[in-house]
Amino acid sequence: METAIKQRISNNKLIILIMVVIVAGMSQGMLLPLLTILLDRSGVSTEANGLNAAALYIGIFSTMFFIERPVRRYGYKPVIMVGMGLVIMATCLFPLWQQIGFWFVLRLLVGIGDSALHYATQLWIVTSSPKERRGRNISLYGMAYGVGFSLGPIGITLLKAGSWVPFLTTSCFFIIVLTLVLQLSNEKPEQLDKVEAVHKRASKVLAIAWFPLITSLLYGYMEASMNSNFPIYGLRAGLSESNIGCSAAHYGGWGSHYAAAARDLE
């Protein structure tokens, strides 16, 4: 009986964390093309538009140097909540003032918040999953992000109802999931006697796994460039914003197909 209760709690936690990942994927999948379109509307040059889009990934990359310590100190749940709070705040502020410098800062905050919640969510899933289900659960995580990322660009079609609508819709999804996260009991990673510095571990990973990291770098470059530059190319070619959203959603959907295949092979 006790084992069945623990299993149910574990399953409920996994479902909630998967929902967090889906909504985070939706947010990123929508913001990349949506902000590009809005800046292009306001007459921002293609070069400045692309540089502004890079702010999201600067935020994501910079987070890796400091996120581990708060997760170890405060646990997974607070870090996820703070990450979601940053994304909600920045998302609601985007339509308030359409200024490229202001949006650069907001994109940095979205990148930091997104990276924080993904780091804590992924680590929580891995550490709390039994060995026989660990591969399956982490592939579900990947599939969830792919599903969310593929649904996100559909939010571009909401621009017809007003420039605020896509941002508020995404924020509402985040708030709903945040109320579910509040129901979870906080947990912390296993405390180690000695934790090696981040830069030392990063150097070891680069030395050992430099080749697979190159493929990840190339895929990241492709994903970022396509999601940031494709909307402008589509607009120049005469595509409507709705068509661009649907096309971007189809591209993002491939991630869920690959993750599903990995899950089936597990």
Side-chain angles (χ1 to χ4, degrees):
M1 182 66 179
E2 185 177 352
T3 304
I5 294 174
K6 288 183 178 179
Q7 184 63 41
R8 184 180 301 175
I9 293 173
S10 179
N11 290 338
N12 289 339
K13 178 173 65 179
L14 178 63
I15 291 171
I16 292 173
L17 294 178
I18 289 298
M19 291 176 67
V20 171
V21 177
I22 290 175
V23 175
M26 287 175 58
S27 172
Q28 189 168 341
M30 183 196 75
L31 286 177
L32 283 169
L34 177 61
L35 296 179
T36 299
I37 290 172
L38 292 177
L39 285 177
D40 186 69
R41 271 186 184 180
S42 63
V44 174
S45 67
T46 305
E47 293 81 5
N49 208 332
L51 289 173
N52 194 261
L56 176 74
Y57 298 97
I58 293 173
I60 291 174
F61 179 75
S62 62
T63 307
M64 66 171 284
F65 295 104
F66 64 84
I67 192 60
E68 181 181 3
R69 184 168 295 180
V71 170
R72 290 191 177 277
R73 181 173 181 179
Y74 302 108
Y76 304 112
K77 180 179 172 179
V79 173
I80 292 173
M81 292 175 63
V82 170
M84 294 177 72
L86 284 175
V87 176
I88 292 170
M89 179 188 69
T91 302
C92 290
L93 290 175
F94 274 116
L96 187 64
W97 186 28
Q98 190 168 324
Q99 200 273 340
I100 190 166
F102 181 61
W103 277 20
F104 187 90
V105 175
L106 293 182
R107 277 176 149 160
L108 277 174
L109 292 177
V110 170
I112 292 171
D114 198 56
S115 181
L117 72 89
H118 273 292
Y119 179 87
T121 302
Q122 187 174 5
L123 190 59
W124 201 354
I125 290 174
V126 171
T127 56
S128 63
S129 298
K131 291 182 179 180
E132 64 275 10
R133 288 178 171 266
R134 193 168 294 161
R136 170 183 173 274
N137 289 348
I138 201 63
S139 66
L140 287 173
Y141 165 90
M143 183 180 71
Y145 182 78
V147 169
F149 199 87
S150 66
L151 293 175
I154 298 175
I156 296 173
T157 60
L158 298 175
L159 280 173
K160 296 177 181 179
S163 60
W164 283 81
V165 177
F167 300 100
L168 291 180
T169 301
T170 302
S171 298
C172 287
F173 279 117
F174 264 116
I175 292 171
I176 292 171
V177 176
L178 185 59
T179 59
L180 297 176
V181 174
L182 288 171
Q183 301 175 17
L184 296 176
S185 299
N186 188 30
E187 297 177 16
K188 294 182 179 181
E190 181 182 354
Q191 299 299 319
L192 303 176
D193 295 333
K194 184 179 180 181
V195 179
E196 197 172 21
V198 174
H199 68 276
K200 290 184 178 180
R201 279 177 289 158
S203 300
K204 288 182 178 179
V205 172
L206 286 172
I208 297 172
W210 60 271
F211 183 74
L213 287 175
I214 289 176
T215 59
S216 300
L217 178 68
L218 291 175
Y219 180 80
Y221 176 81
M222 180 191 71
E223 179 182 304
S225 59
M226 287 190 68
N227 280 279
S228 299
N229 297 328
F230 172 76
I232 296 179
Y233 176 81
L235 291 173
R236 298 287 190 275
L239 295 177
S240 67
E241 293 169 356
S242 298
N243 288 334
I244 290 172
C246 293
S247 299
H250 181 267
Y251 162 71
W254 284 107
S256 63
H257 296 320
Y258 290 133
R263 180 198 61 193
D264 294 337
L265 290 172
E266 174 63 28

